[in-house]
Amino acid sequence: MGGKRSRWLDPPKRRPNPKGSALVLVCALGFVGFVALGTFRDGHRSVDLVPSAFVLAIAGLFVFGAIRDLYWWRKLQRVSDEEIAHRAEAEKVLVGALPTLPAPAHTPGKYGYRLTAGHDFGPGYVVLLLLALLWLIPTALAWQEGFGPFTIASIIAEVVMLALVARRLLILLRIRPTDVEVSAHPVAIGERFTLTFTQHGPLHTNSLDVRLVCEEEVRYQVGTDTRTETRIVFDQPLISELGLHIPVQRPFHTSLELVVPDDAMHSFQVPNNVVRWKVITRGDVPNFPDFERVAQLVVLPARPVAGGYRAPGRA
Amino acid sequence: MIEIELATQVVSPGAQLTGRYTVDGRTVRAQVSLIWHTEGKGTDHREVLALVEHGDADLGPLGERRSGTFTFTLPGAPTSYSGNLLQIRWLVRVRAWSEGEHTELANASFVVGGASPPETWKIA
């Protein structure tokens, strides 16, 4: 909903504190060194590796956060406070006043706004990986007890989970990034915009399809279950390429002029009912799992002739 | 019986909606609300965007019928929609209380924006 905002690109925008980030980075790295020294004292492992690995993973998250903040501090150095405030205010008028619209998620791109793509290795797969690692414990214990039905079931479950994770990891590592950029975001119904598509190589595909899709999603209760149903109500092919060879030095790149239909529905999001616009990229790679990447496009209602919308009571 | 008359049946997002209602002569209080809600397969969502209270003094002279007027400024979204799994409807609701706390209720629906069913959308 409108209240959900990505950290930097939607209001409230704020500059990262470089001193704070640097301090966190130094402390986290120092902590990593301390734990590593404690774990391998005198060249020998002195404590259990599992808790050490857990502590190191948490410290790693702090290191990642500090590096990200320093990156954004560097990136925003040349953008004035007024410009940040102006962008934030413009988005507030357009989006903040319309709470049923999802907040746009994008990063600055070469051709406008790079739409945030769904991750190949999303949170669901991180949970699956953790579950697979945790499941190793009962599997190992069952193995020590003997080779019974529980052991077989445990091993099958472990293999299935690891295979699913490995398949995703393969896609993540093998398929180079897909960039979908739009000249304006959010886009309003009836407004012309340019969509720029870039698929980085090296990649060889049997087919590569890019579509603009509008889908409805509803959630409802049946007894104590909550069910979700999704239906694609609009599907416009944008790019369709067969037998594509993309070398590393020349990404596949194409631009299209688009207009969301004048009589279409804008993006809409309330807890159990959603209308969502997406740009879906689907690739069929020979001897490799197919991949699908989804970028969300926020579509506003048609703009009134006079300019932006105003909430009731707003001057 | 409550009768609601809207100035127009199709309103642009962000525009004003005006109207008038008549209620029974014994009505002492009325509430006019601007509502949008979802229908369809998903769990319904309802939002009351504005609510105006009309007391005895606001309802026009006592007689066989009493009347009131209302003006609402609509937000920019959502627009009305007739999709496959969900629909979005807009309405003005008038609730009237007569002596003895007897209540009556009536709705008048209207359309916001020009969204058509998805089957008719064509991209340029």
Side-chain angles (χ1 to χ4, degrees), chain B residues 21-105:
Chain B
Y21 63 91
T22 54
V23 288
D24 190 89
R26 289 168 299 167
T27 302
V28 290
R29 185 161 72 96
Q31 266 183 358
V32 191
S33 44
L34 175 69
I35 296 170
W36 69 262
H37 65 105
T38 61
E39 286 177 0
K41 210 159 183 183
T43 305
D44 286 357
H45 182 97
R46 179 183 299 268
E47 287 195 15
V48 179
L49 296 184
L51 191 135
V52 181
E53 186 99 27
H54 288 165
D56 199 28
D58 307 309
L59 284 172
L62 281 164
E64 228 172 81
R65 304 284 291 168
R66 304 188 79 183
S67 65
T69 58
F70 54 85
T71 301
F72 292 119
T73 304
L74 300 177
T79 58
S80 300
Y81 178 57
S82 291
N84 292 356
L85 295 178
L86 71 109
Q87 292 86 45
I88 300 170
R89 310 267 184 242
W90 282 84
L91 56 97
V92 169
R93 170 170 291 171
V94 176
R95 192 182 287 273
W97 284 262
S98 47
E99 289 158 357
E101 286 296 302
H102 171 72
T103 58
E104 260 194 300
L105 187 141

Side-chain angles (χ1 to χ4, degrees), chain A residues 98 100 212 214 216 218-220 229 231 233-234 236 259 261 263-266 268 270-275 277 301 309 312, chain B residues 13 36 38 41-43 45 47 73 75-81 83-86 88 114-116 118 120-124:
Chain A
L98 304 172
T100 56
L212 177 66
C214 178
E216 296 172 4
V218 293
R219 271 205 299 270
Y220 53 96
E229 193 170 330
R231 190 168 298 173
V233 295
F234 179 78
Q236 172 78 29
V259 182
D263 56 349
M265 179 60 185
H266 57 81
F268 171 75
V270 290
N272 296 304
N273 298 272
V274 178
V275 176
W277 286 85
Y309 288 108
Chain B
W36 69 262
T38 61
K41 210 159 183 183
T43 305
H45 182 97
E47 287 195 15
T73 304
T79 58
S80 300
Y81 178 57
N84 292 356
L85 295 178
L86 71 109
I88 300 170
S116 313
T120 63
W121 302 350
K122 282 193 176 61
I123 203 154

Side-chain angles (χ1 to χ4, degrees), chain A residues 137-295:
Chain A
I137 299 166
T139 309
L141 290 173
W143 183 272
Q144 281 176 350
E145 298 270 317
F147 205 71
F150 180 72
T151 313
I152 296 168
S154 284
I155 291 170
I156 290 171
E158 187 66 42
V159 167
V160 167
M161 284 191 283
L162 287 175
L164 286 170
V165 170
R167 184 179 183 275
R168 274 286 145 171
L169 271 174
L170 270 176
I171 293 174
L172 178 72
L173 297 173
R174 166 86 192 276
I175 312 291
R176 302 271 294 133
T178 306
D179 289 337
V180 177
E181 293 190 24
V182 284
S183 55
H185 196 233
V187 295
I189 279 172
E191 253 179 22
R192 189 166 290 277
F193 67 100
T194 307
L195 185 141
T196 308
F197 176 85
T198 310
Q199 175 61 58
H200 296 270
L203 185 65
H204 172 210
T205 62
N206 288 333
S207 66
L208 183 74
D209 293 295
V210 184
R211 293 143 55 216
L212 177 66
V213 161
C214 178
E215 72 177 16
E216 296 172 4
E217 184 183 286
V218 293
R219 271 205 299 270
Y220 53 96
Q221 297 275 330
V222 178
T224 53
D225 288 352
T226 301
R227 294 191 185 165
T228 302
E229 193 170 330
T230 305
R231 190 168 298 173
I232 290 177
V233 295
F234 179 78
D235 192 341
Q236 172 78 29
L238 301 177
I239 300 165
S240 188
E241 294 285 338
L242 292 173
L244 209 57
H245 289 266
I246 307 171
V248 68
Q249 65 276 21
R250 271 190 51 203
F252 174 73
H253 180 86
T254 186
S255 291
L256 303 153
E257 287 273 311
L258 295 174
V259 182
V260 177
D262 277 343
D263 56 349
M265 179 60 185
H266 57 81
S267 302
F268 171 75
Q269 188 170 312
V270 290
N272 296 304
N273 298 272
V274 178
V275 176
R276 193 181 287 129
W277 286 85
K278 305 192 294 194
V279 178
I280 300 178
T281 306
R282 188 170 286 164
D284 175 2
V285 182
N287 306 317
F288 198 74
D290 294 350
F291 72 96
E292 183 176 285
R293 284 169 175 165
V294 179

Side-chain angles (χ1 to χ4, degrees), chain A residues 18-171:
Chain A
K19 285 179 188 165
S21 301
L23 186 68
V24 168
L25 185 62
V26 169
C27 290
L29 286 175
F31 192 66
V32 168
F34 180 75
V35 172
L37 281 175
T39 307
F40 295 100
R41 202 176 297 147
D42 304 326
H44 300 288
R45 182 155 67 88
S46 58
V47 293
D48 196 351
L49 277 180
V50 176
S52 297
F54 185 70
V55 169
L56 285 175
I58 291 174
L61 286 178
F62 278 97
V63 171
F64 169 74
I67 290 172
R68 186 193 56 189
D69 282 2
L70 286 172
Y71 166 76
W72 279 107
W73 168 72
R74 177 91 181 128
K75 199 158 177 108
L76 290 175
Q77 253 187 328
R78 291 186 181 186
V79 182
S80 70
D81 286 341
E82 290 76 14
E83 197 179 344
I84 294 173
H86 175 73
R87 285 189 209 161
E89 191 55 33
E91 287 182 11
K92 202 164 110 192
V93 170
L94 281 171
V95 179
L98 304 172
T100 56
L101 288 169
H106 53 234
T107 52
K110 197 173 168 187
Y111 306 96
Y113 301 85
R114 182 178 294 131
L115 302 182
T116 311
H119 297 289
D120 286 324
F121 204 81
Y125 283 92
V126 175
V127 171
L128 191 64
L129 177 61
L130 290 173
L131 195 65
L133 293 175
L134 282 174
W135 195 253
L136 276 172
I137 299 166
T139 309
L141 290 173
W143 183 272
Q144 281 176 350
E145 298 270 317
F147 205 71
F150 180 72
T151 313
I152 296 168
S154 284
I155 291 170
I156 290 171
E158 187 66 42
V159 167
V160 167
M161 284 191 283
L162 287 175
L164 286 170
V165 170
R167 184 179 183 275
R168 274 286 145 171
L169 271 174
L170 270 176
I171 293 174

